[in-house]
Amino acid sequence: MAASKKAVLGPLVGAVDQGTSSTRFLVFNSKTAELLSHHQVEIKQEFPREGWVEQDPKEILHSVYECIEKTCEKLGQLNIDISNIKAIGVSNQRETTVVWDKITGEPLYNAVAAPVSPGPSVPVAVVPSGSSVPAPGTSSVWLDLRTQSTVESLSKRIPGNNNFVKSKTGLPLSTYFSAVKLRWLLDNVRKVQKAVEEKRALFGTIDSWLIWSLTGGVNGGVHCTDVTNASRTMLFNIHSLEWDKQLCEFFGIPMEILPNVRSSSEIYGLMKAGALEGVPISGCLGDQSAALVGQMCFQIGQAKNTYGTGCFLLCNTGHKCVFSDHGLLTTVAYKLGRDKPVYYALEGSVAIAGAVIRWLRDNLGIIKTSEEIEKLAKEVGTSYGCYFVPAFSGLYAPYWEPSARGIICGLTQFTNKCHIAFAALEAVCFQTREILDAMNRDCGIPLSHLQVDGGMTSNKILMQLQADILYIPVVKPSMPETTALGAAMAAGAAEGVGVWSLEPEDLSAVTMERFEPQINAEESEIRYSTWKKAVMKSMGWVTTQSPESEYILLLPRLIPST
């Protein structure tokens, strides 16, 4: 069987998928989009202080090499020749920020993670003073709050009007994006300041750090990023597709430390070490853009939702930047070649999705494993009027209400843990509906269906609920690795590689599982309007006098001793 498989294999393409909690390397058949083999390594999170989350850039890099080596070994066991791997793509967590020394190749500080969720009015997760630091493995990496005071001081000196940042970048001035974290590092870490003064510092998101290191590092490594990752830094003009001089001056960022911005699909450089030495790295996409490409959302109005710790919903708006009046972000979707046009997207995020399941497991002990939630929800098939608003750290898009807190309402003596489990799944679906409604209002393109991916999509009850609450079909590919697939497609399609055709007629037909709405439209609307009522009740819990806000007041004094 291995021999016959070997005979029909076309050129192969690898993809590094560097996420918040793990690194993976996956290898696809470019002719069929079939996943042939992969390997995964968990990544540690470090919590040096309350409210701070960091990762070790060297550990991330070593995990990439380990995943590549192990995947190549597995391919060998399958009698697949690794010389068939013609290109490598990179997909990455977008806002995690790295600064390193180009002379020594050493990071100048740990990678600083992104906080909970982006938002125009900078709502942040408030951690009460005296509370314990989250244990590694139980918390999302999107938690770092140290830049809140930086944002507050920057917001006081925005030139002209408050649209200065958003009109150029599509993003609000927020703790979420790299420019603020880079400003914090320049203000607080002497090693970073000194390296910048001595012209030794390089800055990048995770993709830049990996590509520079994999293409030689101190020995000629290529310092670049792609348009999708650049568009998440708050330093990049999404209209001109260049670093913006005015923004760099506003944030006080020296432009010489920034990577060169390239398209998402072109040869950046060659692997300089390891089992795949000499193979071109030719694809680069931020993780959510990679999933959009992997889901083949190439038409205006197509959208995908990735269900993980939070949800990320992207809608392709074509060659036009659509600016949101409802708290969504405007971002670069992809640019698949140097001479190819740029596509934009509207993005909305649900802060708490898979995190609510973990909360039921770790905090309430209602379930022992995340998978049990489907079984509990199936037992009752209804929430019996119970609604769960998981506003653990405020409400995000489209409300942007930091005073909200989580509530479970509509409880009766009959309510049991099964109903609460069901309500938790419904909460993920209602939040997605709110984002989709905002997108429809912004771009006027109602969706005919929603394409989905991510770990939670294996929960069939959740997928059916999503179809019922949106009242449109939900479509899930049978091969769930859409993020890695998108990076592989971009790499394989690059000029000079040319092993993956992105022409619509050549794209492999992907097997899909389809969930149709099973309730009537009226019932769907009643449930949604009751959810809205519950959301209103969650607002206004935290006031400025609340002890919960003590932590925010402490933030300016939490200065590292570097």
Side-chain angles (χ1 to χ4, degrees), residues 182-440:
L182 186 49
R183 182 65 260 155
W184 185 92
L185 289 167
L186 288 165
D187 288 339
N188 295 291
V189 182
R190 182 59 194 141
K191 271 174 80 174
V192 173
Q193 294 163 355
K194 198 162 181 294
V196 169
E197 288 161 12
E198 296 171 2
K199 312 284 190 203
R200 291 183 289 109
L202 295 178
F203 152 79
T205 40
I206 292 291
D207 57 305
S208 297
W209 163 245
L210 292 179
I211 292 171
W212 183 82
S213 301
L214 296 172
T215 57
V218 295
N219 299 309
V222 178
H223 187 215
C224 70
T225 188
D226 90 300
V227 288
T228 68
N229 282 294
S231 77
R232 309 295 290 195
T233 59
M234 241 174 6
L235 298 169
F236 185 70
N237 189 312
I238 59 174
H239 310 286
S240 66
L241 301 183
E242 293 173 336
W243 298 120
D244 190 283
K245 192 168 183 289
Q246 285 182 312
L247 285 168
C248 290
E249 285 169 359
F250 171 65
F251 286 104
I253 307 294
M255 292 184 81
E256 63 268 17
I257 74 172
L258 303 178
N260 291 319
V261 183
R262 313 274 285 270
S263 77
S264 311
S265 177
E266 60 179 272
I267 295 174
Y268 313 114
L270 306 181
M271 287 286 290
K272 283 295 191 304
L276 298 180
E277 188 176 345
V279 175
I281 299 174
S282 54
C284 180
L285 290 154
D287 51 8
Q288 301 311 321
S289 286
L292 195 74
V293 171
Q295 287 271 28
M296 297 170 210
C297 293
F298 296 129
Q299 304 299 313
I300 294 174
Q302 284 188 305
K304 70 89 203 166
N305 195 20
T306 299
Y307 296 76
T309 302
C311 285
F312 287 92
L313 211 158
L314 266 70
C315 178
N316 186 333
T317 62
H319 306 312
K320 195 173 79 174
C321 286
V322 175
F323 284 89
S324 174
D325 296 320
H326 303 93
L328 305 179
L329 306 180
T330 305
T331 197
V332 175
Y334 53 82
K335 185 180 190 294
L336 295 173
R338 267 183 294 205
D339 304 321
K340 295 288 167 63
V342 66
Y343 280 76
Y344 296 95
L346 270 177
E347 176 173 333
S349 49
V350 171
I352 306 290
V356 77
I357 313 304
R358 284 212 294 275
W359 184 82
L360 291 177
R361 182 193 70 194
D362 299 340
N363 293 37
L364 293 196
I366 283 177
I367 49 175
K368 286 193 175 67
T369 66
S370 297
E371 291 71 34
E372 277 178 48
I373 190 134
E374 187 173 7
K375 185 166 162 279
L376 284 187
K378 197 173 182 180
E379 273 182 43
V380 285
T382 173
S383 68
Y384 198 72
C386 169
Y387 284 78
F388 188 163
V389 182
F392 297 149
S393 48
L395 286 166
Y396 293 83
Y399 300 101
W400 305 113
E401 185 47 72
S403 72
R405 284 297 173 270
I407 62 167
I408 302 174
C409 56
L411 300 174
T412 69
Q413 283 182 306
F414 181 71
T415 309
N416 62 33
K417 65 180 182 180
C418 298
H419 300 117
I420 291 171
F422 195 96
L425 294 181
E426 274 192 318
V428 176
C429 302
F430 285 129
Q431 290 178 100
T432 299
R433 162 103 190 242
E434 290 186 316
I435 301 283
L436 263 183
D437 281 0
M439 279 185 178
N440 286 344

